[in-house]
Amino acid sequence: MKVIRTREWAFPVAPARREVRRATPEVDEGRPPLLFVPGFGHGAWVFAEHWLEHAADRGFPAYAVSLRGHGESAAAPKATLRAYAHDVAQVAASLPRRAVIVGHGAGALVTAHALARYPARAAVLLSPVFGGAGTALRNPMLSLPALFGGGLRLPAGQLFSRELPAGAARGYATRLGRASARAQWQLLRGRTPQPPVGDPPVLVVGSPDDRIVSDAALRRVARAYGGAPLLFPGMGHDLMLDVRWREPIDAILDWLEKSA
Amino acid sequence: MTYSAGYGDPESGGPATAWRDGWPVYDRSGTVCVIGAGPSGLTAMKNLKEQGFGVDCYERETSVGGAWNWRHDRSPVYSSTHLISSKPFSQFPDFPMPDSWADYPKHTQVLEYLEHYADHFDLKPHIWFGTEVVKVEPAEGDRWDVTTRSTGGYGGERIHRYAAVVIANGHNWSPKRPEYEGLEDFKGEVIHAAQFKDAAQLRGRKVLVVGAGNTGCDIAVEAAQQAARCWHSSRRGYWYTPKYALGRPADQVNDTMLWLRLPLRLRQLIAHRTLKTTVGDLTRFGLPKPDHKIFETHTITNSQLIYYLGHGAVTPVPDIARFHRNSVELKGGEVIEPDLVVLATGYHPVFEFIDGNLLGVDASGRPRLAMHAFPKRLPTLAVAGLLQPDSGLFPLVHWQMVAFARLLRMREAAPAKAVAVQRRLEAELDRKWTGAKVQGTSRHWFEISHTVYLKAIQRLLDELSLEGAVK
Ligand SMILES: Cc1cc2nc3c(=O)[nH]c(=O)nc-3n(C[C@H](O)[C@H](O)[C@H](O)COP(=O)(O)OP(=O)(O)OC[C@H]3O[C@@H](n4cnc5c(N)ncnc54)[C@H](O)[C@@H]3O)c2cc1C
Ligand SMILES: NC(=O)c1ccc[n+]([C@@H]2O[C@H](COP(=O)([O-])OP(=O)(O)OC[C@H]3O[C@@H](n4cnc5c(N)ncnc54)[C@H](OP(=O)(O)O)[C@@H]3O)[C@@H](O)[C@H]2O)c1
């Protein structure tokens, strides 16, 4: 744990307007709030589609943030990974109670960085893209353009299983944006996040049929947090939009009821 | 997460398990007692809970926030108080202040932040409000007997036995009141800054403000706007740093120099130059020349004082020689006729509930603690927040308490190693935590440089990492 952070103190992340979508249960049963963090190119809407309402129906206040430069949040063409992690910690700290953070794709890496700056009650890393050379090699067509400032390309075929009707998949794909070139660079460089503060339990969730995150990468991330991944075969990278979206969120909520 | 004690609440008691001087002692097992629910007490509770400890906190007031709750009868905060350190230095390192707040939040926002912190981490159920600690005494096995009663002394006293105690009672509430010849005959009003709450108290009056710490300077600025006259007495020259330098909060500029790893001397040189070319030479207003270099005392951060000196709305004067019936005589012979004197002469640390010897308190009232936090030979006692940093306090006291919680954990997991760490700390009992040569008055007893101090905390945390202990 690093306590001297002169760079962060000398150059604090600039504020940015953030979109936060929410769904809260009718009665507050004291369950911890969930904060969903979308991956690069995705906005809060991907969780608003199914998961927020579902979590609220099961008694969990649910929130999703759009990282700066995504969704309805303010434009941020120069954003860094640190700025994204700051966005997450800001929203988490604003919630009434200690939050559970659920990050997806590269948003899982952002979450991992945020966990070093906010003591989450628990965390879930969904189809985590932790970057580094492995990510680039597995997805050369996706990541090569990023090296030249073009931005990661996320074609629908890579994100969803074949079960999702083509129309829906195309509809989602047209709503995707892109992370800043700088953040993508930092993703490919793959700096290891500092260890989480407050020792939260961490669950890694993914699919062996994810075409962006390899099974080995999934296991590597899970191992780093001392566990094995929870797998949903047959699903695509975007678990929360796929046809069988209900299964992973139910498993996550079950796990939370037991552990947090 | 399991708590090492879940024995219900301390009020409901249960059977007494020991006796002290004929009184029952209720055993709280592995629970840690925290005295005070100001910022230091709150972060102590949060970090102890995080490491799995049960906590009971006693707070003499009926709400959290300590000094930052200006309705508390001992709060030194006045209506215009804003933080002097900018947000990155003022917030707990794991709980950021909102982006929507300004660089230097107001005291009401700081209170809001602390209330939110308490709710977010579910601390309030552990706090016994309206309850003051009147005695803390050692018990066998490095444990502590804590005597409490309702604030103001109604009702009986109760004794609970704890595994450890954190003293977080604050050190900015007991006024330091200088003695002056002739003071008792003076017909004007004399108050300490602790009694100053609002600028309305100054309106239309002839005010003498004594002391040029941050409080004195703030009050002088208020008097410049509200009072009929304002004299400002200081017994030495200081560096008055503006809140902004080079277009950014001044403390962020300073840490940019630290980030660049510039040595202290070079930083002092750059700061002197910058101040000289922007603020200029303050002796032209009649202020004394600083008798020390910048960064040798915690800075006085005030952009407005210079402005009002320049407008002639504040008249700088030297130290007070004596009081007369209707006037005040200054060193140098000048006589002025204020009708209100505000003593902004600072505060004393007071630990009225514990034997001073345990904290190594000397005749002048100064405790002797390793890292200003850990008393000698008492591994289960810590003082939180007894620091005068060159930045904000909250991050520092957060890390103090992370370290203390780990130290307590290590006592269980690796007792021999915990003793070694304790010994190492005690060997540095008199170490200074500033890079600069600190000025000698009691105002600087707890002076620390945030980077020097945090380096020591880092070392301590590394020693306390339990992975290290297993090896
Ligand atoms: C005008 C002013 C401005 C300041 N500005 C800044 C700033 O900008 N940045 C900064 O970092 N710091 C600032 N400070 C320093 C300030 O003291 C700290 O920020 C902080 O409030 C210290 O917290 P604490 O919890 O240690 O003490 P306090 O805030 O004093 O809290 C102590 C608590 O303990 C309780 N207590 C005391 N004795 C007992 C007892 N026997 N039993 C039960 N409860 C007890 C008290 O009621 C109180 O609630 C300022 C101080 C002053 C006077
Ligand atoms: N956020 C804010 O805006 C803010 C505002 C106020 C205070 N604070 C903080 O609160 C704490 C207390 O500050 P403070 O200003 O109340 O106290 P302080 O820093 O102790 O300053 C006391 C002042 O009174 C002088 N003094 C003390 N005894 C004296 C005597 N016998 N005769 C003449 N002068 C005497 C001191 O001079 P010497 O230097 O010679 O001892 C000094 O100038 C500090 O941590 C401060 O930073 C913050």
Side-chain angles (χ1 to χ4, degrees):
Chain A
M1 192 166 358
K2 201 169 148 247
V3 307
I4 301 185
R5 301 171 183 169
T6 34
R7 198 173 81 92
E8 283 167 52
W9 300 326
F11 306 101
V13 172
R17 189 175 42 74
R18 281 179 290 267
E19 177 195 22
V20 178
R21 313 263 299 241
R22 77 190 66 199
T24 44
E26 308 246 311
V27 242
D28 181 1
E29 293 161 16
R31 293 228 169 76
L34 312 180
L35 172 58
F36 292 97
V37 181
F40 284 8
H42 293 52
W45 65 269
V46 300
F47 292 107
E49 201 68 10
H50 310 292
W51 279 20
L52 291 189
E53 286 298 338
H54 188 74
D57 285 345
R58 284 195 51 181
F60 290 86
Y63 303 79
V65 59
S66 291
L67 300 174
R68 59 186 66 202
H70 290 78
E72 304 293 312
S73 289
K78 299 239 164 82
T80 56
L81 268 184
R82 176 156 81 94
Y84 292 154
H86 170 90
D87 288 339
V88 174
Q90 278 281 318
V91 178
S94 76
L95 300 178
R97 283 191 294 271
R98 206 171 154 197
V100 175
I101 309 183
V102 184
H104 173 252
L109 178 64
V110 172
T111 298
H113 282 290
L115 292 179
R117 291 293 177 273
Y118 169 80
R121 186 184 300 256
V124 181
L125 308 178
L126 301 167
S127 319
V129 176
F130 266 40
T135 305
L137 288 178
R138 183 172 166 89
N139 307 289
M141 291 324 287
L142 297 186
S143 47
L144 275 180
L147 295 179
F148 302 101
L152 289 174
R153 277 194 288 140
L154 298 167
Q158 299 275 351
L159 298 175
F160 311 108
S161 73
R162 289 184 202 290
E163 291 170 36
L164 190 71
R170 260 198 313 277
Y172 290 146
T174 55
R175 295 178 72 177
L176 297 173
R178 66 167 54 151
S180 78
R182 226 163 128 201
Q184 297 183 34
W185 251 111
Q186 290 176 316
L187 176 71
L188 292 181
R189 244 180 50 208
R191 184 169 58 90
T192 314
Q194 290 174 25
V197 290
D199 203 16
V202 178
L203 176 69
V204 177
V205 176
S207 162
D209 303 308
D210 185 331
R211 263 169 289 169
I212 291 180
V213 182
S214 71
D215 199 44
L218 197 60
R219 283 175 200 286
R220 203 173 323 117
V221 173
R223 211 165 36 241
Y225 290 91
L230 194 58
L231 295 175
F232 294 86
M235 294 190 75
H237 180 70
D238 281 2
L239 298 164
M240 65 296 207
L241 293 174
D242 221 324
V243 178
R244 285 158 49 207
W245 59 265
R246 213 178 285 267
E247 295 171 31
I249 184 66
D250 274 329
I252 290 168
L253 298 178
D254 290 346
W255 176 75
L256 282 176
E257 276 166 355
K258 269 185 265 128
S259 68
Chain B
M1 193 170 278
T2 52
Y3 293 96
S4 52
Y7 298 94
D9 62 72
E11 302 287 281
S12 71
T17 41
W19 297 85
R20 177 161 209 130
D21 307 329
W23 292 91
V25 176
Y26 299 94
D27 197 325
R28 298 288 293 147
S29 180
T31 306
V32 180
C33 173
V34 176
I35 304 172
S40 301
L42 292 175
T43 196
M45 293 168 72
K46 181 240 166 221
N47 285 304
L48 285 160
K49 270 184 77 172
E50 210 166 274
Q51 299 280 325
F53 289 98
V55 286
D56 289 346
C57 172
Y58 298 105
E59 168 53 60
R60 59 188 300 284
E61 298 282 355
T62 51
S63 45
V64 301
W68 292 101
N69 194 326
W70 71 318
R71 290 193 180 79
H72 287 171
D73 62 2
R74 286 169 169 182
S75 167
V77 162
Y78 32 86
S79 64
S80 65
T81 310
H82 282 252
L83 286 171
I84 38 173
S85 42
S86 69
K87 279 194 290 179
F89 301 93
S90 304
Q91 62 204 4
F92 293 117
D94 58 355
F95 198 68
M97 287 184 177
D99 268 358
S100 57
W101 290 2
D103 289 330
Y104 296 98
K106 194 182 161 85
H107 68 95
T108 44
Q109 290 176 312
V110 179
L111 176 59
E112 198 183 320
Y113 173 76
L114 294 170
E115 298 252 4
H116 182 52
Y117 184 81
D119 288 329
H120 195 86
F121 294 107
D122 203 21
L123 305 179
K124 285 184 186 162
H126 304 273
I127 307 175
W128 302 91
F129 289 109
T131 307
E132 71 187 333
V133 169
V134 292
K135 229 180 286 165
V136 174
E137 298 159 294
E140 74 253 15
D142 289 329
R143 307 184 71 217
W144 296 92
D145 285 348
V146 176
T147 308
T148 56
R149 64 162 185 223
S150 21
T151 306
Y154 313 107
E157 297 186 345
R158 288 178 77 93
I159 308 176
H160 294 96
R161 183 160 295 175
Y162 288 99
V165 171
V166 175
I167 298 176
N169 67 333
H171 59 107
N172 281 323
W173 54 268
S174 172
K176 218 183 261 176
R177 265 181 175 270
E179 287 172 13
Y180 298 103
E181 200 187 327
L183 182 60
E184 57 284 5
D185 299 326
F186 180 62
K187 287 289 163 236
E189 191 185 355
V190 181
I191 62 170
H192 188 273
Q195 294 153 267
F196 172 74
K197 286 278 131 189
D198 196 88
Q201 288 165 264
L202 309 172
R203 208 157 285 157
R205 306 188 67 178
K206 291 184 288 174
V207 182
L208 168 61
V209 181
V210 183
N214 281 301
T215 306
C217 293
D218 274 356
I219 299 178
V221 165
E222 299 247 29
Q225 300 167 67
Q226 304 290 339
R229 246 243 61 193
C230 172
W231 296 276
H232 189 196
S233 158
S234 52
R235 63 178 178 185
R236 70 169 82 236
Y238 299 95
W239 296 94
Y240 299 93
T241 13
K243 278 196 158 165
Y244 288 89
L246 310 174
R248 297 200 297 140
D251 49 7
Q252 296 178 16
V253 175
N254 183 32
D255 270 51
T256 306
M257 295 198 284
L258 287 167
W259 176 62
L260 293 169
R261 294 176 186 282
L262 304 189
L264 175 65
R265 292 200 169 221
L266 186 55
R267 283 190 292 122
Q268 286 175 322
L269 184 77
I270 293 172
H272 285 169
R273 277 287 157 83
T274 312
L275 287 179
K276 201 166 178 184
T277 49
T278 52
V279 181
D281 179 4
L282 293 180
T283 57
R284 74 189 191 278
F285 297 119
L287 284 172
K289 197 170 143 55
D291 57 359
H292 54 278
K293 288 189 186 156
I294 196 163
F295 305 135
E296 287 188 352
T297 73
H298 66 277
T299 42
I300 293 153
T301 307
N302 196 314
S303 301
Q304 290 171 287
L305 185 69
I306 309 302
Y307 175 88
Y308 285 109
L309 283 167
H311 285 199
V314 174
T315 311
V317 294
D319 206 6
I320 294 175
R322 61 158 297 161
F323 281 76
H324 296 284
R325 221 178 126 75
N326 294 308
S327 61
V328 177
E329 187 180 327
L330 303 167
K331 290 208 171 127
E334 193 191 342
V335 174
I336 57 174
E337 294 185 356
D339 52 31
L340 173 64
V341 179
V342 184
L343 300 171
T345 42
Y347 299 86
H348 276 300
V350 177
F351 306 97
E352 74 281 18
F353 42 75
I354 191 167
D355 176 1
N357 290 324
L358 296 175
L359 304 178
V361 176
D362 68 12
S364 67
R366 176 186 195 153
R368 189 159 172 256
L369 305 166
M371 294 183 78
H372 296 306
F374 307 110
K376 200 173 169 184
R377 294 282 145 87
L378 301 171
T380 54
L381 181 67
V383 181
L386 186 59
L387 298 174
Q388 176 54 69
D390 58 350
S391 67
L393 178 73
F394 298 6
L396 302 165
V397 63
H398 165 92
W399 292 117
Q400 279 185 330
M401 290 300 103
V402 171
F404 185 57
R406 296 228 179 141
L407 197 60
L408 293 179
R409 272 283 164 254
M410 180 171 271
R411 276 170 53 80
E412 297 162 5
K417 191 154 184 238
V419 170
V421 172
Q422 187 76 22
R423 290 278 171 282
R424 207 268 301 153
L425 277 174
E426 287 171 3
E428 298 185 346
L429 215 49
D430 295 312
R431 210 185 128 181
K432 300 264 177 297
W433 304 102
T434 55
K437 183 170 106 292
V438 177
Q439 294 301 303
T441 72
S442 64
R443 176 169 187 258
H444 304 112
W445 281 351
F446 314 115
E447 190 79 24
I448 59 147
S449 132
H450 65 291
T451 41
V452 175
Y453 192 80
L454 286 177
K455 238 175 243 164
I457 291 263
Q458 180 79 64
R459 174 173 173 205
L460 181 57
L461 287 175
D462 291 346
E463 288 170 343
L464 292 172
S465 89
L466 283 177
E467 293 90 75
V470 180
K471 270 181 230 158

